[in-house]
Amino acid sequence: MSAPPTDTNQTPLLEMRAISKTFPGVVALDSMDFVLLPGEVHALIGENGAGKSTMIKIISGLYQPDSGEMLIDGDPVSFRGPADSIARRIKVVYQELDLVPGLSVGENVYLGAYPKKGGRVDWETLYGNTRELLDGLGLSIDPRTPVGELRVAEQQLVEIARALSQDARIVVMDEPTSALSTEEVDRLFRLIERLQERGVGVLYVTHKLDEIYRIADRVTVVRDGKHVVTTEISKTRPHDLVTWMVGRELTALFPKSTVERGPVLLQATDVSGEGIEHFDLTVHSGEIVGLFGLLGAGINTVARILFGASERTGGAIVLDGSTIKPNSPADAMEKGMGLLTENRKDDGLVLPMSVRDNMTLASLRQFARLSWLDSRNESEAATGFVERLSIRTPSLRQRVQFLSGGNQQKVLMARWLMRDPKILILAEPTRGIDVGSKAEIYRLMDEMAQRGLGIVFMSTEIPEILGIADRILVMREGRVTAEFDRSEATQEKLVQAAAVDPETSEAA
Amino acid sequence: MSAESIARPSQTRRPTDDTSRGTTIGQRLLASPEGYLTGFIVLVWIFLSIRSDVFLTERNIGVLLSQVALIAITGFGMTLLMIAREVDLSVGSMQAFVGVLAMQSLNRWPYLLVGIAVAILLGVIVGLINSGLTLKLGITSFIVTLAMMQILRGAAYTSTSAAVQNDHKLSSFKRVFNGAIIEDPVRIPWPVAIMAFFFVLFSLIVAKTTFGRSLYALGSNPEAAALSGIHVWRLKTICFVITSALAGLSAFMLIARMNSGQNNAGFGFELQVIGAVLLGGASLAGGKGTILGTFLATLLLGSLNNGITLMGYNPNWQWAVTGIIILIAVLLDSVRRRVTQES
Ligand SMILES: Nc1ncnc2c1ncn2[C@@H]1O[C@H](COP(=O)(O)OP(=O)(O)OP(=O)(O)O)[C@@H](O)[C@H]1O
Ligand SMILES: [Mg+2]
């Protein structure tokens, strides 16, 4: 079943033969095969930790394979570093952003390849070209803005612009859309089509199956570091892809049970803060309240304000009868609130710490007597969550930095579940997570709701909001613009309520 | 097996608690600063005991460790502070400032406890000021404590034009540095006992308590730590205060050793301390460092200095040797990272 329908006339742009790569305790790639043809968009899919990013890092020269062969245009190559890969006109957009925050957008786009005139950097060309690239992506960012001041989504687009700025023949994108809005995704796809017309081969890693059907010509599935199948996308159904990825049949994605709505747990009244005005929110015990909005609608800020991580300038928040102090995450936690933030690298993970220590970080007191930590207890609890969330790690001591993106997200999920909060705010909890684990996270949310927890679920993805929330609030420009019950919410209604009204706003 | 089976891991290996480190001796030694510092110390000690008859005597080791104690005790506090991504440059001037004031207090109220209390209390006050300025005004601790270093040195100079002499003649006073807690079977000088006490105390605190764990988290990712309910502000204040209080204590041991409070005491002391902490595996970027590492680093530097004196070289070589050792350590560390594939 794994014979790729290779057009025999075409020399593959890139071919990997029996590539293997191991890390201490982990086989990341196990005799992996892969073929990329000119002008094709080739999707690479697989569960968290299947080895996708590792494969990409081998293509980009960041890692060297332990064994196996890689060919570019039919020539065997062995990359000693990213420079070798760049020299073969391969361009990679990594899963984790690697922009230099202090440099401007333009400088980042041209990093290492500044246009020169007479031995000096030609700033006019640099910023002019960047402007054009950004226009192509429909971005109205000033090329002179420091990258550190941009939103994550914008940074991601800058990263993509950087990939396009160089005349690449192979473009590799590792989950490029994980933080993009629907419009931005559309623009990105138009750009990919342009690349395709030029004969560029695009390798596209994603967990979003709908994207594959929109953009990809062929798909390769990888499981446990091994090649499972390569096939033309038109010949598959999503159901097949999922089965190949997880190696078995997947039952319902949204296991939604009807939970009796309990008493009010969280009551936020007239809350305001930066960009947020008159925000009201009521969450009952056993209820999952969805909060939907486009990027920039202020959803993430609301999450932070509720938790005390961003400044609250007005309003009151009452959790289960007790008032929460503004600007104190510790107080919010004390009273039973938890927040899974949107940017795991920035304000979630402590990268050099172990999987276990990251999990227990928010509940240290629970594992301590007179501040003395009982590490056996910690390990037991952590092991439980590793199994429950199927986190793929060689040991509890593994630094969380070496986990795959999706598994890192699960570690953070475990951090909050461990506290047994009354109210849990989840900002994009399934970002970068594979289908199987997504289903698992929805199931956990459902289970928590059944146990009487109140959940605020923030997402920019409509299907999951519709699938799991009891009630949906739509936000736009820092305000709630609509509220729907589960029974009446539809995709169209949400989109309409979230869309920026062209008459009242000029900054679209 | 319905909903639960949805996301069964395809690889159902139970995660274990073990770490798979390198297996050869070379890899083990390279695996951590503690490893290669121990290697270094063994080499230096073997060399010195061959070259000098005096080195391995009880008396010399006692002197060596007492000198190490003066740096290590403050170093333990500095380790906490540097794990939390802060630093204190004022610990050197503290030696003079606290020394002068503690000696004056002893001359006025001749009780040993008064002197010790004054020294530690001054340390606590300086620590509170350092942390207050750093955390309230948002100025980096490097700058705040650099200023504090100048202010305290200035205060020491202006408060007395010469060394404050011992007018109280307390018999217990000199024993603080020269006395021993026990004589049999081996003589353990007071500074060594005090160092051992703090070594055990802080090793346990750092490795086994919520405070220690929070400290590492805070140093590596302050934002994540704060959002996990860690009181960043409180923790840092505690670290500042501990560091200064220990520096105050060590200043008291220093006046006991010199039998006077000198306004030029502790010149370069802060760099010796910070150098040792860095050598022991800490980083200016925070989140790293251990008490054992700091102890081994001070022991290595102390042994080298002791050797320089024993072998009759110009003692001023000490400065350059310390610098070279720190450079070597930094080099080794980058080799180690490459070998173990850390990023
Ligand atoms: N530098 C490293 N050191 C140790 N283990 C690593 C390292 N990089 C990756 N791994 C491990 O190799 C496996 C494959 O990881 P990889 O990042 O390629 O997964 P992925 O398919 O990209 O997953 P995701 O969808 O979550 O991004 C994982 O188990 C991961 O923990
Ligand atoms: Mg990945």
Side-chain angles (χ1 to χ4, degrees), chain A residues 221-281:
Chain A
V221 181
V222 52
R223 184 170 76 233
D224 289 341
K226 294 192 191 74
H227 177 264
V228 176
V229 63
T230 297
T231 178
E232 267 164 59
I233 202 76
S234 53
K235 293 182 183 154
T236 64
R237 290 169 305 141
H239 182 78
D240 303 330
L241 295 181
V242 172
T243 309
W244 282 324
M245 272 197 285
V246 297
R248 77 206 110 92
E249 294 275 323
L250 190 68
T251 44
L253 181 60
F254 299 113
K256 179 79 186 155
S257 30
T258 35
V259 180
E260 192 71 21
R261 215 201 219 187
V264 172
L265 266 185
L266 181 75
Q267 179 91 53
T269 335
D270 205 14
V271 167
S272 54
E274 202 194 326
I276 304 294
E277 280 170 46
H278 309 299
F279 179 82
D280 294 319
L281 176 69

Side-chain angles (χ1 to χ4, degrees), chain A residues 47 248 251 304 309 333 346-349 357 371 373 378-379 387 390 392 395-397 401 415-416 436 439, chain B residues 3 5-11 14-18 208-210 213-214 220-221 223-224 227-229 231 343:
Chain A
E47 292 186 283
R248 77 206 110 92
T251 44
R304 295 180 60 95
M333 282 172 62
D346 294 349
D347 49 25
L349 299 165
D357 294 358
S371 140
L373 284 166
E378 275 187 280
S379 297
E387 282 171 359
S390 35
R392 201 170 294 187
S395 88
L396 292 178
R397 295 261 178 94
Q401 135 185 46
R415 178 186 293 173
W416 291 109
Chain B
S5 68
I6 282 174
R8 177 182 52 85
S10 5
Q11 166 196 335
R14 253 179 96 93
T16 51
D17 231 348
D18 66 3
K208 299 280 182 196
T209 66
T210 56
R213 183 74 62 74
S214 307
S220 315
N221 190 342
E223 182 80 347
L227 292 186
S228 297
H231 297 273
S343 53

Side-chain angles (χ1 to χ4, degrees), chain A residues 67 85 106 144 157 179 185 196 206 213-214 250 286 309 325 347 388 414 438 449 461 480 488 499:
Chain A
S67 62
S85 167
R144 289 165 208 270
L157 286 166
V185 172
Q196 210 177 349
T206 187
Y213 283 91
R214 281 179 62 194
L250 190 68
K325 285 187 220 153
D347 49 25
R388 211 166 128 197
K438 263 187 196 169
E461 280 178 56
V480 175
E488 50 174 17

